[in-house]
Amino acid sequence: MERPRILIVGGGFAGLECARRLERKLSPSEAEITLVTPFSYQLYLPLLPHVAAGVLTPQSVAVSLRRSLRRTHIVPGGAIGVDPASRVCVVRKVTDEVIAQKYDILVLAPGSVTRTFDIPGLTDYARGMKTLAEAAYVRDHVIAQLDLASATLDQRERESRLQFVVVGGGYAGTETAACLQRLTTAAARRYPRLDAGQIKWHLIDIAPKLMPELGDPLGAAALEVLRERGIEVSLGVSVAEVGAETVKFTDGRVLPCRTLIWTAGVAASPLIGTLDAETVRGRLAVTAEMRVPQFEGVFALGDAAAVPDLAKGDGAVCPPTAQHSARQGRAVADNVIASLHNQPLEPYYHKDLGLVVDLGGKDAVSKPIGVELRGVPAQLVARGYHLMAMRTNVAKLRVGANWLMNATAGDDFVRIGFLARQPARLQDFEYTDAYLSRDQVRAHAQSLLAKG
């Protein structure tokens, strides 16, 4: 009898945890497990600001899938369409070859992409912080601005190169602004023509509060830390227009600026749009057991799925966080196994264990299991949490060693020349234009199946 084919799309927190649990709980004879992912690593996304600031090397937050998984077949590519009627996932491999990946059970965990709006110049001039390549690029770009500002005698050019804008007052934006501001302040001492006072960082968000999930006391504490460092925080403000050398805010201000880092939220992977299925604010609508009700044998989870948050109730859905994604991955694996054994599925229920925000150095705010912490205790909790959440001992060792080295030896300010002369548009890093329409998916699926 042929083994059931379990296909997992996405190698992030949700996909990796699902595959790991399936390997542990199913024998090789019970199912064939395949994972489709463009990269051979799970990106530990919460630490990308540390990569951008050079505190961690890119390799440190790229957790090897082949160290984490033992018998899962990994297809190096991205899913660009799903045809549930044929039970086929259309995959574009990293070589651009398009193949049909058949399945009996499909687990959709394609994650999310940076959410953008129809703002003039945004997609051409904004830098993202969603991928490892973007974090490495942002680091190179920021240091390049310091190098060029130091080298020029044109005061207007220098001013525009030394103004940095981060859009998004959530965790990603706040940590990015905090970590990069520390980097540029330390770097200024190495440039004879620059002074730290010339470097201006701006953090803006349309929301009235910074990181409201933290609650007012910790949100206010984080805001105080940022402002004490000289970061100008503007709330209730967004971007009206972005140019090559200027940024215009919705309050009318126009800043000379050549660096805008966009972290204003995420949207579900465009893969979701290739299915003819119900969505909730762009995320795939699923049951509490994370089944897609329209299709037999299809589960969805993580950032791409609107999983009911039973702990909150009142129709709430789980926020797109690493904490939920990892736990949903394990829960979906259990439900996949239950479906194979014709057993009842279990609803996903998880109460949030707390929040950690690393502001770099000795600064942090954390709220583990409802306990509010600030400063060094919060930093210890934040970094301890990250180390525990990483899936391999090699990754834990690399991150811990990097933190120790940075604490003792300080920052370095080396550019590696990453995409030095290439545009850095959001779609270039996140491949948002790679997906097929529903009609194209069906046509590709039938054509590929006919070819065998």
Side-chain angles (χ1 to χ4, degrees):
M1 183 177 177
E2 190 174 344
R3 294 177 298 167
R5 295 164 297 191
I6 302 172
L7 179 63
I8 303 168
V9 173
F13 286 96
L16 175 58
E17 289 299 326
C18 180
R20 280 167 53 91
R21 198 170 187 92
L22 288 173
E23 283 193 348
R24 287 198 301 272
K25 291 199 165 188
L26 289 176
S27 68
S29 63
E30 287 183 281
E32 175 187 306
I33 308 168
T34 300
L35 175 66
V36 174
T37 176
F39 306 109
S40 62
Y41 59 80
Q42 177 226 356
L43 175 61
Y44 193 81
L45 196 64
L47 290 179
L48 273 189
H50 286 211
V51 174
V55 175
L56 298 176
T57 62
Q59 189 180 9
S60 301
V61 300
V63 182
S64 170
L65 292 178
R66 299 194 185 277
R67 282 186 182 271
S68 303
L69 302 171
R70 293 291 179 266
R71 57 184 177 86
T72 297
H73 174 56
I74 299 175
V75 178
I80 56 175
V82 178
D83 182 10
S86 303
R87 296 208 171 195
V88 165
C89 182
V90 182
V91 177
R92 178 176 283 122
K93 296 167 72 173
V94 293
T95 58
D96 277 340
E97 176 191 0
V98 177
I99 63 171
Q101 197 71 43
K102 300 178 184 179
Y103 65 84
D104 296 303
I105 294 179
L106 177 64
V107 177
L108 291 171
S112 56
V113 296
T114 300
R115 181 182 61 186
T116 58
F117 301 96
D118 189 19
I119 298 171
L122 178 66
T123 56
D124 291 322
Y125 299 111
R127 327 291 177 185
M129 273 291 291
K130 191 78 173 63
T131 68
L132 193 56
E134 285 175 314
Y137 178 89
V138 164
R139 173 175 167 73
D140 259 19
H141 174 80
V142 168
I143 295 174
Q145 300 315 298
L146 301 184
D147 291 345
L148 292 166
S150 177
T152 187
L153 298 178
D154 185 325
Q155 190 57 38
R156 291 182 63 185
E157 178 187 351
R158 177 175 294 179
E159 185 180 4
S160 69
R161 294 196 183 281
L162 295 181
Q163 295 241 41
F164 303 91
V165 174
V166 178
V167 183
Y171 302 112
T174 302
E175 290 185 336
T176 295
C179 291
L180 284 172
Q181 186 272 339
R182 286 190 76 253
L183 173 70
T184 54
T185 299
R189 296 193 291 267
R190 306 289 181 176
Y191 292 84
R193 291 184 176 179
L194 297 186
D195 180 85
Q198 298 174 290
I199 303 171
K200 305 294 183 184
W201 280 89
H202 303 263
L203 176 62
I204 71 169
D205 197 310
I206 195 65
K209 295 180 181 180
L210 194 69
M211 295 182 293
E213 300 90 342
L214 283 173
D216 289 346
L218 286 185
L223 181 60
E224 182 182 357
V225 168
L226 297 179
R227 286 179 169 163
E228 283 180 353
R229 289 196 195 166
I231 298 175
E232 184 174 326
V233 181
S234 301
L235 300 173
V237 177
S238 189
V239 173
E241 186 176 349
V242 187
E245 299 179 15
T246 59
V247 174
K248 183 178 180 180
F249 294 163
T250 52
D251 62 4
R253 284 180 292 162
V254 178
L255 295 183
C257 171
R258 303 191 189 212
T259 306
L260 184 140
I261 303 172
W262 183 265
T263 66
V266 297
S269 165
L271 178 67
I272 300 308
T274 72
L275 289 90
D276 188 12
E278 182 183 349
T279 58
V280 177
R281 295 184 180 178
R283 300 166 73 184
L284 204 55
V286 297
T287 67
E289 297 79 19
M290 291 170 283
R291 289 187 308 104
V292 180
Q294 294 94 328
F295 309 121
E296 184 68 27
V298 179
F299 295 83
L301 66 160
D303 292 5
V307 179
D309 192 341
L310 301 182
K312 290 184 179 178
D314 295 327
V317 297
C318 296
T321 64
Q323 189 178 140
H324 274 292
S325 293
R327 286 165 174 79
Q328 287 169 11
R330 295 191 284 272
V332 159
D334 290 340
N335 281 340
V336 167
I337 295 168
S339 69
L340 290 176
H341 296 161
N342 295 315
Q343 296 174 346
L345 310 187
E346 293 292 331
Y348 171 74
Y349 182 94
H350 169 67
K351 191 172 182 179
D352 209 314
L353 297 179
L355 307 165
V356 295
V357 182
D358 188 336
L359 300 174
K362 297 178 181 178
D363 295 323
V365 291
S366 299
K367 196 175 182 180
I369 56 174
V371 180
E372 296 184 356
L373 300 173
R374 308 176 191 187
V376 174
Q379 185 66 278
L380 291 173
V381 168
R383 297 200 171 182
Y385 169 79
H386 290 314
L387 286 177
M388 286 190 298
M390 304 197 88
R391 277 290 153 243
T392 68
N393 290 329
V394 171
K396 297 175 196 279
L397 182 60
R398 283 198 179 113
V399 168
N402 277 198
W403 277 334
L404 180 61
M405 183 177 294
N406 181 261
T408 54
D411 299 297
D412 70 80
F413 319 107
V414 177
R415 284 186 290 119
I416 60 175
F418 184 73
L419 287 180
R421 296 182 182 274
Q422 299 293 323
R425 298 171 301 172
L426 294 171
Q427 60 264 37
D428 293 333
F429 287 106
E430 299 187 36
Y431 310 106
T432 53
D433 55 354
Y435 297 87
L436 303 176
S437 68
R438 291 172 190 167
D439 289 340
Q440 288 175 320
V441 170
R442 285 191 288 269
H444 270 71
Q446 294 304 317
S447 174
L448 293 167
L449 286 173
K451 293 178 182 177

